[in-house]
PDB file of all heavy atoms in Angstrom:
ATOM      1  N   ALA A  21     -43.865  19.485 123.595  1.00 52.00           N
ATOM      2  CA  ALA A  21     -43.746  20.684 124.429  1.00 52.00           C
ATOM      3  C   ALA A  21     -42.272  21.066 124.591  1.00 52.00           C
ATOM      4  O   ALA A  21     -41.913  22.234 124.645  1.00 52.00           O
ATOM      5  CB  ALA A  21     -44.372  20.429 125.784  1.00 52.00           C
ATOM      6  N   ALA A  22     -41.405  20.012 124.655  1.00 59.00           N
ATOM      7  CA  ALA A  22     -39.988  20.285 124.904  1.00 59.00           C
ATOM      8  C   ALA A  22     -39.207  20.477 123.607  1.00 59.00           C
ATOM      9  O   ALA A  22     -38.005  20.667 123.626  1.00 59.00           O
ATOM     10  CB  ALA A  22     -39.402  19.122 125.679  1.00 59.00           C
ATOM     11  N   ASP A  23     -39.871  20.394 122.477  1.00 65.00           N
ATOM     12  CA  ASP A  23     -39.181  20.402 121.200  1.00 65.00           C
ATOM     13  C   ASP A  23     -38.523  21.760 120.943  1.00 65.00           C
ATOM     14  O   ASP A  23     -39.204  22.776 120.825  1.00 65.00           O
ATOM     15  CB  ASP A  23     -40.204  20.094 120.102  1.00 65.00           C
ATOM     16  CG  ASP A  23     -39.527  19.794 118.782  1.00 65.00           C
ATOM     17  OD1 ASP A  23     -38.317  20.069 118.693  1.00 65.00           O
ATOM     18  OD2 ASP A  23     -40.204  19.312 117.879  1.00 65.00           O
ATOM     19  N   PRO A  24     -37.184  21.779 120.814  1.00 66.00           N
ATOM     20  CA  PRO A  24     -36.522  23.065 120.590  1.00 66.00           C
ATOM     21  C   PRO A  24     -36.833  23.626 119.208  1.00 66.00           C
ATOM     22  O   PRO A  24     -36.622  24.810 118.958  1.00 66.00           O
ATOM     23  CB  PRO A  24     -35.035  22.733 120.721  1.00 66.00           C
ATOM     24  CG  PRO A  24     -34.933  21.271 120.474  1.00 66.00           C
ATOM     25  CD  PRO A  24     -36.247  20.670 120.856  1.00 66.00           C
ATOM     26  N   ALA A  25     -37.340  22.776 118.303  1.00 66.00           N
ATOM     27  CA  ALA A  25     -37.660  23.253 116.955  1.00 66.00           C
ATOM     28  C   ALA A  25     -39.089  23.766 116.888  1.00 66.00           C
ATOM     29  O   ALA A  25     -39.766  23.658 115.863  1.00 66.00           O
ATOM     30  CB  ALA A  25     -37.441  22.129 115.959  1.00 66.00           C
ATOM     31  N   GLY A  26     -39.568  24.290 117.989  1.00 83.00           N
ATOM     32  CA  GLY A  26     -40.959  24.749 118.028  1.00 83.00           C
ATOM     33  C   GLY A  26     -41.199  26.080 117.339  1.00 83.00           C
ATOM     34  O   GLY A  26     -42.179  26.756 117.645  1.00 83.00           O
ATOM     35  N   GLY A  27     -40.337  26.529 116.437  1.00 92.00           N
ATOM     36  CA  GLY A  27     -40.537  27.785 115.716  1.00 92.00           C
ATOM     37  C   GLY A  27     -40.702  27.538 114.230  1.00 92.00           C
ATOM     38  O   GLY A  27     -41.048  26.442 113.825  1.00 92.00           O
ATOM     39  N   PRO A  28     -40.443  28.548 113.416  1.00 95.00           N
ATOM     40  CA  PRO A  28     -40.639  28.390 111.968  1.00 95.00           C
ATOM     41  C   PRO A  28     -39.603  27.459 111.346  1.00 95.00           C
ATOM     42  O   PRO A  28     -38.489  27.322 111.863  1.00 95.00           O
ATOM     43  CB  PRO A  28     -40.494  29.817 111.430  1.00 95.00           C
ATOM     44  CG  PRO A  28     -39.757  30.570 112.475  1.00 95.00           C
ATOM     45  CD  PRO A  28     -40.049  29.909 113.779  1.00 95.00           C
ATOM     46  N   LEU A  29     -39.974  26.859 110.240  1.00 96.00           N
ATOM     47  CA  LEU A  29     -39.103  25.937 109.502  1.00 96.00           C
ATOM     48  C   LEU A  29     -37.910  26.700 108.924  1.00 96.00           C
ATOM     49  O   LEU A  29     -38.073  27.786 108.358  1.00 96.00           O
ATOM     50  CB  LEU A  29     -39.934  25.326 108.363  1.00 96.00           C
ATOM     51  CG  LEU A  29     -39.261  24.310 107.464  1.00 96.00           C
ATOM     52  CD1 LEU A  29     -39.150  22.982 108.188  1.00 96.00           C
ATOM     53  CD2 LEU A  29     -40.045  24.142 106.170  1.00 96.00           C
ATOM     54  N   THR A  30     -36.716  26.133 109.059  1.00 96.00           N
ATOM     55  CA  THR A  30     -35.523  26.788 108.511  1.00 96.00           C
ATOM     56  C   THR A  30     -34.714  25.801 107.672  1.00 96.00           C
ATOM     57  O   THR A  30     -34.921  24.590 107.743  1.00 96.00           O
ATOM     58  CB  THR A  30     -34.583  27.306 109.633  1.00 96.00           C
ATOM     59  OG1 THR A  30     -33.941  26.175 110.236  1.00 96.00           O
ATOM     60  CG2 THR A  30     -35.324  28.105 110.688  1.00 96.00           C
ATOM     61  N   THR A  31     -33.767  26.327 106.925  1.00 96.00           N
ATOM     62  CA  THR A  31     -32.780  25.468 106.257  1.00 96.00           C
ATOM     63  C   THR A  31     -31.738  25.052 107.296  1.00 96.00           C
ATOM     64  O   THR A  31     -31.767  25.522 108.434  1.00 96.00           O
ATOM     65  CB  THR A  31     -32.038  26.237 105.140  1.00 96.00           C
ATOM     66  OG1 THR A  31     -31.256  27.265 105.751  1.00 96.00           O
ATOM     67  CG2 THR A  31     -32.998  26.829 104.133  1.00 96.00           C
ATOM     68  N   ASP A  32     -30.775  24.207 106.876  1.00 96.00           N
ATOM     69  CA  ASP A  32     -29.692  23.816 107.784  1.00 96.00           C
ATOM     70  C   ASP A  32     -28.814  25.006 108.152  1.00 96.00           C
ATOM     71  O   ASP A  32     -28.041  24.941 109.107  1.00 96.00           O
ATOM     72  CB  ASP A  32     -28.818  22.734 107.134  1.00 96.00           C
ATOM     73  CG  ASP A  32     -29.440  21.354 107.279  1.00 96.00           C
ATOM     74  OD1 ASP A  32     -30.403  21.222 108.060  1.00 96.00           O
ATOM     75  OD2 ASP A  32     -28.966  20.409 106.613  1.00 96.00           O
TER      76      ASP A  32
END
Side-chain angles (χ1 to χ4, degrees):
D23 192 347
L29 181 76
T30 73
T31 66
D32 278 348

